[in-house]
Amino acid sequence: MDISSLLLAVICLLGIGIYAVLVARNLIKVIVGLQVLVKGAMLALIAAGQIAGQPEVGESLALTVIVADTIVAVVGLALAVQVRRRFGTLDIKALSTLRR
Amino acid sequence: MTETNAILWLLATPMLSAPLIYLIGRIIIRLRDSAAENNRPGPGRGWLRVPGWLALASLLASFVPLFIAAQPVMRYGVARSFVGGVPLAMDGISLVLAATSLLLGSLVVLFSMPYMAGEAGEEKYYALLPAVISTIIGLGCANDFFNMWVWFEAMAVSSYLLVAFYTNERGALEAGVKYLVQSAIGSVMVLLGISLVFAQTHTLRLDAIAAWAGQPNMITLAAGVLFVIGFGVKTALVPLHTWLPDAHSQAPSGVSAMLSGIVIEAGLIAMLRALGNLPGGLPIWGQILLGFGALNMLVGNMMALRQKQIKRLLAYSSLSHIGYMLLGFGAAAIFHLQNPAAGGFFHLFNHALMKGLAFLSAGVLLYALHIASGDHVPLTVDDLNGASKRYPLAAFGLSVAVLALGGLPPLAGFMSKWQIFVGSVETRDLTMILLVVFAALNSVLSLGYYAPLVNRMYRKAPSAAVQAGKPVSKLMAAPIVMLLVGVIILGVWPGLIESITQTAGKNLAAMFSIPVAHLLPMIGR
Amino acid sequence: MLPILVMLVIGLPWLGALLVWWAGDQRSRQQHALAVGFSVVTALAALALIPFSQTVQTIVIPSSGVSGNGYGTFTFSPDGLGIFLAVVATVIGSLAVIFSVDYMKGEAQLGRYYSMVLFFIGAMAGLVLTSNLLLIFVFWEITALCSYALISFYNDDPKAVAGGMKALIMTQLGGVGLLLGAALSYGYLHTVDLNEFLAHADQLPADVLSVMAFGFLIAAAAKSAQFPFQTWLPDAMEAPTPVSALIHAATMVNAGVYLLARFFPAFADVPYWRDAVMLVGMLSALLSAIMALVATDLKRVLAYSTVSQLGYMVYAVGAGGVFASQFHLLSHAVFKALLFLSAGAIIHSVGTRDMRGMGGLGKEMPAVRVVFLIGAAALAGLPILNGFWSKELVLEAGLEGGPLWMWVVMLIGAGLTALYTMRCVWMVFYAPPANPLRHIHDAGPAMRSALFPLAIGTLTTWLLAGPFSEFLKGIGVEEETTLEIVMIVLREPATWLAVGVVILGLLAWWQRKYLQILTEPMQDLGVMAERSFGFEAINRTIVQTIQGWAEDLRGLQTGLLSWNVLAIIVSLVMALLIVALGAV
C-alpha cells in the first residue's frame, strides 16, 4: 500500500470522525465517532512508520493505541449506560445542564 | 534500593498497589455482604477503612524512593534508569511533578477517608488515586514520545473514572462525558503530532529529536501545533477549557483538588516536554505559550468573578493560575532564562497546595452542610455566610487559601508570583514587561471574587445551611492544618524548595535552547 | 542589640496577634490585656531604637541558598526616617489599642479585631525598617490586607464590606506600580536592595527610571488616598474608629509619603516627576478640602481632611522639602489620631456619625471638647500648636521649590482647612442640640488615657523640631536646632500671610450669615463636591463595566458538547494558520 493512499485514508477517517463527534446527537454515535478518529490516528502512526523506514515501530505503536483506546471506549460506553439510566435518554442536548 | 532502580520503585509502588487495593476492598465488601445475608457478624466498619489506609500507606512509602531518586537529580541534573528496556529519565521537572503529586495525593487520601465513607464504589476510589499519581510520575519521567503518550492516556482514563465517580448524579455523569470526549480528541491530536514528528525525524526519543540535524519545516511546526492543542485540552488552555468547570465542580472534593492541583499541570508538563524537544529551538512555541497564558489569565478571572458556586469559582480560578505558570514558562522558553521557569515551577507546587487547601476546606463545608445529610447540591456562596462560627478551621483554611491564591503576602502564592514577574522582567523585553503588568492587574482582579468569600464566612449571621450543618471528623482537619502550615511557611521562606525549583528551571531553559550540536556549524567548526 | 530590637518591633505584635487569636473570643478580658500589653511593649522597643538612628547597620536574614533568584536577601537597615515612622506607628498603635478596650467592649469576634490590629502594627514597622524592595512590597500588602479586614470588620454590614473591598482593590492597583518598579530594579540592576538601588539609580536607562518613578508615584498616591485615588478613604470610615485613627490617619496612609521621601534622591531628576508629585498633592489638598466643607458625617470630614493634609505632605516632598513633609507627618499623625479618637468617643456616646444629630455636646462631654478643640486648632494651623509650625514649613518649602501659583492654591487650601474645621467644631459642640432629651456620657477611663497623651503631644511635638532634623540627617536633611527653626518660621513674611488666611477662614464661618451672597453661587460646587467631583461615578462605571463584561463572557460556557468540540477544532485551525503565517 503506498503512502499517498494511506494518507488519504487517514484524512478520510479523521474527517468522518470529527464530523460524527460534532454533529451526532446520540451519545453512542459520538463515542463511535471518537473511535473512528482514533483509528485514523492509528493509521497515521502506521504511515509514519512506513515513511520513517521503521514499519515495525509504527505497527507496535498502533497496537498499543488499540489497547488504550479500547479501555477509553469501555469507560465511555459505561458512562453512556449510566447516562441512559439517570437521564432517560442518550441525547447529548440533554447533557447540557451545567452551563455558564 | 540503589539510585538506579529507585525510579522503578517510585513508579511501581503506587501503580502495583492500585489493583491490590481494589481487590482487597472488594473482598471485604463481599465478606460484609455475605455476612449480612446470612445474618452473621461480618467485618465491622473499621474494615471498610482498610482500602483508604492502604492507599495512604502506599503513597507514603513512595516517598522513600522519591527521596533516593532525588539525590542524583539534584547533583547532576538528571537520573536515568531502564525499566524493561524502556529508558526513564528523571530530571528536575519530573522531580517537581512527582513530589507535588505524592504530597497532594497523600493529603487527599487522608481527607477522603471520612469524606467518602459510605459511598458506593469507595474501594475503586482508593485504587484509582494511587493509579493516577503513578501515571503522573511516569509522565514526568518519560523520555520518548510514545512512553509519554501511554502514561498520558493512562492518567486520562483514571481521571475519567474519578470525575464521574458519583454515578447516581446527573451532573457528575454529564461532566464525565464531556471530559472524556474532549480529552479523547486531544489525545488523537497528540497521536497525530507524534506521527508527524516520527515521519520527519525517524525517531521517537526526545533527546534525539531535539538533536535532529534537519531544519524546522512545516511538518515539525504542524506537529508542534498539534501538541499544543492536544495537550492543551488537558491543560485547560482557553478556549479548550470548557470541560474544566464541570469536571472540577462535580467530582468529589478530594478529586477536585487533585485535578486542579496536579492533573492539569501534568498536561502542561507534557506539553512543555513535547515543545521543548522539537528541533530548532524556535521562539514561536514560547510565544504561543505566552498568548495562551494571557488568554487564560483574563478569561479565568472574568468567568470566576460572577460564579455563585464555590467549586466552580475555584475551577475557573485554576485557569488563571495556569496562565501565570505559562507566563513564567513562556518567558523562559523564549529567552532561555532560569528564574521565570523556577518561578513557574514554584507556582505549580504552591498552586497545588493552595488549591488543595481551598478545595479541601470547601469540601469540609460541602460535607458538613450537604453531603452528610445525603444531599448532592453544590456549595454556593450564600451557604458560606457565617461559617466561621461553627467551622472555624475550614473557614480559616478557605480564607487563607483564597487570599494566597489572590497573591497576598505573607502567603505562598505571592512569593511564586513575585518570582515569575521579576524573572520575566529580567528579560528586559517590552512585551514581557507589559505582560507582567497585565498579570499583576489580573491578580488584583482576582481579589474581587476571592475576598468577598472571606467576608461572608466571618459574618455573624449564619446561613440556613450552616445552622443545619453536621459536625466534622478530625481526620479531615489534619490535611487542612498541614496545608495551612505549608502555605504560610512557603510565603515567609520562599527559599525552602529553591534547590528543586531552580533545578527544574534550569532543565526547562536548557530544553528550549538550541542544542550545542546545532551551534557548531554556525561557528564554522 | 539593634537586631534584637528590630525583631522585637516587628515580631512582638505578630506574636501578640497569634496569642490573642489563640485565647479565643470567650476570654475577652485576656484578649484586651494581651493586646494592650503587646502593643505597649512594642512601642517601648521602638522608642529604644531612637539612639541607634545614626548607626548604619544592616541586619540580614538569608532568604534562600540560591542567589540571584529574584528575592534578594531579607535585609533591614533602620535609619532615622525608618525609626521615626516605626515609633509613630507603634506608639499611636498602642494608644489606639488602649482606646479600643473601652470602644470595643462587648463586641463579638474581638480576637479577629485585635490580631489584625497587631498584625498591622508589626507590618507597618517592618515596612519602614526594611531595605529590601520585596519586603517593602510584602509589608505594604500586609498592611493593605489588615486594612481591608478591619474596614469590613462588621461583615454583616454591606457598606462596610463594600468599603473594605474598595480599599483593597484600589490600594492593590496602586501596588502594581510598586511591583513593577521593584521588578525593573531587579531586571536592570540585579538587586532588590533599596540602598544599592539608590546608589546605582543613574545606571538605569532613562525611560526605565521614568517608569519606576511614576510607578512608585501611582503606588504612593493609591496608598495615601491622593488624587485620583482618593475615593477609598472616606468609605473606609466604616471601620471601628480606633482603626480609622491608627490605620487611616496616622500610619498606613503615611506609607505613600514615606515611599516618596525614601526614593526622592533617585527620582528627583526624572523629567516632570517632581511637578507631577506636587500637582497630585495640590489637587488632593484642594479638592478634599472642598469636600470636607460639605460633608455631614463627622468621620468623613476627618477623612477628607486627612487626604488634604497628606496632600500637603506630598506637595512638600515634590518641592524638595523632605524635612517639612516628615515634620508635618509627625504633627498630623498626633493631632489626627487625637481628632479621630475623640470623634470615636463622641460617636460611641451619641450613637450616630451625622453631625446634624449632634450639637451642644460641650456641656455633656467637656473633656472631649477640650481635646477636640486642641486637635482642631492644630489642624487649622493656629500658632503654638504643632500643626502651625509644620504647615508653615511645608508652605515655605513649597514656595522655595515649586511654582508660585501652586503655593497660592495651597494657601487657599489652608484657609479652607480652617473653615471646615471651624464648621465641624461648631456643628458638634456649639450648635443647638438636635435632640435635647438625649443621654450622653463623657469618654470612659481607657479612652481618656489614650486621648490625654495625644493632646499633650499636639501641644508639644513641635519642640522636637531640632532633634528631629538631627534624626533625619541620614537622608540629607540639614541639622538645625528648634530655636533656629522657630525663628525661620517666625521671620518669614509668608508665615504671617498664612496666619492671616487661617484667621480669615475662621472668621468666615463665624460670620457666615453675612457671607451668604458669596456662598450662593458656590452651591453647584457644593453639589459637585458631595459627589466627589465625579470620581465615585468613575469608580462605579469601571466596576459595572467589568462585571457586565464578565457576565456576558459567561455565555461562552454553553454546556453543549458540540460547541466545546467545535472550539477545539477551530483553535487548532487558527493556531495552524498563525504559526504558518509566522513562519512565512
Side-chain angles (χ1 to χ4, degrees), chain B residues 73-352:
Chain B
V73 175
M74 306 296 280
R75 252 181 281 136
Y76 310 120
V78 72
R80 296 187 188 279
S81 181
F82 269 86
V83 176
V86 177
L88 290 173
M90 180 170 227
D91 65 358
I93 302 177
S94 339
L95 188 56
V96 169
L97 206 57
T100 313
S101 51
L102 277 178
L103 189 61
L104 189 62
S106 324
L107 292 170
V108 164
V109 169
L110 192 58
F111 173 85
S112 301
M113 289 202 275
Y115 190 89
M116 305 294 290
E119 293 282 350
E122 206 184 326
E123 69 284 357
K124 260 198 323 236
Y125 183 88
Y126 293 118
L128 282 169
L129 275 177
V132 167
I133 293 170
S134 68
T135 56
I136 292 176
I137 300 177
L139 178 63
C141 295
N143 206 16
D144 70 281
F145 263 122
F146 206 68
N147 217 345
M148 191 158 68
W149 184 85
V150 169
W151 288 115
F152 180 73
E153 200 60 17
M155 173 183 86
V157 170
S158 333
S159 57
Y160 299 154
L161 295 166
L162 283 171
V163 164
F165 188 77
Y166 295 126
T167 47
N168 292 324
E169 294 302 316
R170 295 172 136 204
L173 288 174
E174 182 183 330
V177 163
K178 287 189 208 160
Y179 179 38
L180 187 146
V181 172
Q182 295 184 37
S183 191
I185 295 182
S187 285
V188 164
M189 291 190 190
V190 172
L191 278 176
L192 290 174
I194 293 178
S195 30
L196 284 176
V197 169
F198 187 43
Q200 182 71 58
T201 62
H202 299 202
T203 171
L204 284 171
R205 292 198 42 188
L206 288 174
D207 36 14
I209 294 172
W212 184 64
Q215 283 299 95
N217 54 16
M218 289 306 296
I219 305 275
T220 50
L221 285 177
V225 172
L226 282 165
F227 286 140
V228 169
I229 304 291
F231 285 120
V233 174
K234 211 30 171 269
T235 313
L237 300 181
V238 171
L240 316 166
H241 68 285
T242 39
W243 58 270
L244 184 138
D246 305 337
H248 288 207
S249 53
Q250 296 298 321
S253 297
V255 174
S256 304
M258 291 288 293
L259 286 172
S260 269
I262 196 68
V263 171
I264 53 182
E265 283 81 358
L268 178 58
I269 298 293
M271 176 165 45
L272 289 173
R273 283 240 197 260
L275 292 177
N277 286 302
L278 283 178
L282 296 171
I284 183 76
W285 306 124
Q287 288 162 348
I288 289 188
L289 289 177
L290 288 177
F292 275 116
L295 209 52
N296 266 57
M297 281 190 259
L298 187 64
V299 172
N301 280 325
M302 294 288 270
M303 294 294 281
L305 198 58
R306 305 288 302 170
Q307 292 302 316
K308 292 279 169 269
Q309 293 177 18
I310 300 294
K311 286 178 69 168
R312 233 173 142 77
L313 186 151
L314 291 174
Y316 277 116
S317 98
S318 298
L319 289 179
S320 61
H321 285 273
I322 292 283
Y324 298 125
M325 292 181 226
L326 284 170
L327 176 64
F329 292 142
I334 302 177
F335 296 93
H336 310 145
L337 286 175
Q338 195 176 318
N339 266 338
F345 285 113
F346 191 24
H347 198 65
L348 195 153
F349 184 75
N350 282 341
H351 178 251

Side-chain angles (χ1 to χ4, degrees), chain B residues 458-472:
Chain B
Y458 285 94
R459 285 192 193 179
K460 284 180 252 189
S463 64
V466 167
Q467 282 174 325
K470 301 274 188 313
V472 162

Side-chain angles (χ1 to χ4, degrees), chain C residues 445-469:
Chain C
M447 289 191 191
R448 267 191 262 205
S449 48
L451 291 171
F452 193 60
L454 286 172
I456 303 282
T458 311
L459 289 167
T460 59
T461 56
W462 61 276
L463 290 167
L464 295 170
F468 190 59
S469 70

Side-chain angles (χ1 to χ4, degrees), chain C residues 244-245 248-250 301-309 330-342 375 379 420 454 458:
Chain C
S244 303
H248 303 124
V301 171
L302 293 177
Y304 286 125
S305 137
T306 304
V307 174
S308 185
Q309 295 304 304
L330 173 62
S331 309
H332 177 258
V334 174
F335 69 68
K336 200 38 84 56
L338 176 63
L339 283 170
F340 263 112
L341 289 182
S342 324
L379 173 57
Y420 70 67
L454 286 172
T458 311

Side-chain angles (χ1 to χ4, degrees), chain B residues 174 177-178 181-182 185 189 218 221-222 225-226 229 233 239-246 284-285 288 292 298-299 302-303 305-308 312 316 339 346 388 396 403 406-410 414-416 418-419 421-423 425-426 428-429 433 436-437 440-441 444-445 447-452 454-456 458-461 492-496 498-499 502, chain C residues 14 21 62-66 68-71 74 107-109 112 119 132-135 137-139 141-142 144-145 148-149 152-156 161 165 168-170 172-173 176 178-180 182-190 192 545-551 553-561 564-565 567-569 571-572 575-576 578-580 582-583:
Chain B
E174 182 183 330
V177 163
K178 287 189 208 160
V181 172
Q182 295 184 37
I185 295 182
M189 291 190 190
M218 289 306 296
L221 285 177
V225 172
L226 282 165
I229 304 291
V233 174
L240 316 166
H241 68 285
T242 39
W243 58 270
L244 184 138
D246 305 337
I284 183 76
W285 306 124
I288 289 188
F292 275 116
L298 187 64
V299 172
M302 294 288 270
M303 294 294 281
L305 198 58
R306 305 288 302 170
Q307 292 302 316
K308 292 279 169 269
R312 233 173 142 77
Y316 277 116
N339 266 338
F346 191 24
S388 60
F396 188 63
L403 292 176
L408 281 179
F414 166 74
M415 285 298 176
S416 48
W418 174 273
Q419 196 169 32
F421 294 163
V422 168
V425 171
E426 246 186 299
R428 301 190 187 180
D429 179 82
I433 295 179
V436 166
V437 174
L441 289 174
V444 175
L445 177 62
L447 283 172
Y449 57 83
Y450 285 136
V454 180
N455 286 110
R456 278 181 184 268
Y458 285 94
R459 285 192 193 179
K460 284 180 252 189
V492 178
W493 190 10
L496 194 58
E498 194 67 19
S499 39
Q502 287 285 350
Chain C
W14 287 7
W21 177 63
S63 72
S64 72
V66 178
N69 57 5
Y71 296 119
F74 292 171
E107 285 280 353
Q109 299 182 334
R112 194 158 59 88
F119 196 33
N132 178 321
L133 280 168
L134 165 66
L135 285 183
F137 192 75
V138 166
F139 289 123
E141 299 278 283
I142 295 180
L145 170 66
Y148 147 73
S152 56
F153 180 70
Y154 300 115
N155 278 308
D156 298 83
V161 175
M165 285 302 301
L168 184 66
I169 300 287
M170 288 186 86
Q172 289 286 73
L173 279 176
V176 173
L178 182 55
L179 177 66
L180 183 62
L184 285 171
S185 168
Y186 189 78
Y188 285 84
L189 291 176
H190 280 287
V192 278
T545 316
I546 295 184
Q547 297 270 6
W549 286 344
E551 190 64 34
L553 200 62
R554 286 177 84 184
L556 279 186
Q557 187 79 7
T558 56
L560 291 168
L561 183 58
N564 296 351
V565 174
I568 299 178
I569 304 298
S571 309
L572 179 65
L576 280 169
I578 292 176
V579 170

